[in-house]
Amino acid sequence: MSIVITATSGHLGRSAVEAVLDRGTDPAEVIAGARDLAKITDLAARGVRTAVIDYDDPATVAAAVAPGDVFVLISGTDLANRDRQHAEVIAAAAKAGAGRIVYTSGLKADDTALSIAAMHLPSEGAVRASGVPFTILRNGWYSENYARDIPTVRDTGVLLSSTGGGAVASASRRDLAEAIAAVVTTEEHQGKTYELSGDTAWTYDELAAALAQVLDREVTHRNVSSDEHRAILLGAGVPEQFADMAVAVDAGLGAGAMGFRNGDLSRLIGRPTTPLAETLHTLV
């Protein structure tokens, strides 16, 4: 049996491979998949087997998966085509005889105010309907999501949002990668759905304080209405599609969509989740 992990040229997939190896798994039992193998030569150098896996070419999945393998489907980023891609990839893995499918979904996907989390439901349905034993990992908010905000906050001292007082229980990618490693290297997770979030929920006022500490400057959270937020983004030259998405995400965060906590993540990884400030320090 091998552990086949997709999208390993990306942050989460690569971290998942590293976390599996850190748990003592023989590198020869791990298959790292990517569209471009040139991007994962460092994993191959560690003894990990590599395979081309392209979500637009299910035949690559069939070639990579052998009967009994654990197949980790890291959710794709092509939102316009993702439902089709995932359905075809899941069907190919099932036909190849995968022993278990592990899918990275979105926190509280079936009960959320955040559309980017709810968008995982069709893929969850495909996993459940595949006939293959499964584990669904509903990933919460990445602390690393704030990497793109740091340059502006450093320059202006202002963290702009329309999140109100909504709380976010973020975790680091490494935390979530370790959860993948935990469920693929042990057997008691079949048929389970885990809600994965950080141990601590914080508001954007607290995020501003953490950024102030990390950047060693005063940072203020400027909370505005959704309409004002959209107008500011458009005025700054942000394309309408991305401005609308940013405002919708903040509305979901403001409604508490990423504030849910139940301890699943820290229990799976066997330690507390990484504090927000600790992750922010790695981003500056």
Side-chain angles (χ1 to χ4, degrees), residues 166-179:
V168 178
S170 67
S172 72
R173 282 197 185 94
R174 179 66 190 190
D175 295 339
L176 296 165
E178 288 185 23

Side-chain angles (χ1 to χ4, degrees), residues 147-217:
R148 59 181 175 265
D149 295 308
I150 285 175
T152 299
V153 173
R154 179 189 284 117
D155 291 343
T156 67
V158 175
L159 174 67
L160 176 70
S161 90
S162 49
T163 56
V168 178
S170 67
S172 72
R173 282 197 185 94
R174 179 66 190 190
D175 295 339
L176 296 165
E178 288 185 23
I180 294 172
V183 302
V184 300
T185 56
T186 53
E187 295 295 328
E188 64 268 24
H189 309 288
Q190 292 189 16
K192 294 185 178 180
T193 298
Y194 293 105
E195 306 286 355
L196 304 182
S197 57
D199 294 334
T200 302
W202 44 263
T203 66
Y204 265 58
D205 286 345
E206 292 169 309
L207 171 60
L211 287 168
Q213 175 189 354
V214 169
L215 297 173
D216 192 24
R217 65 154 300 159

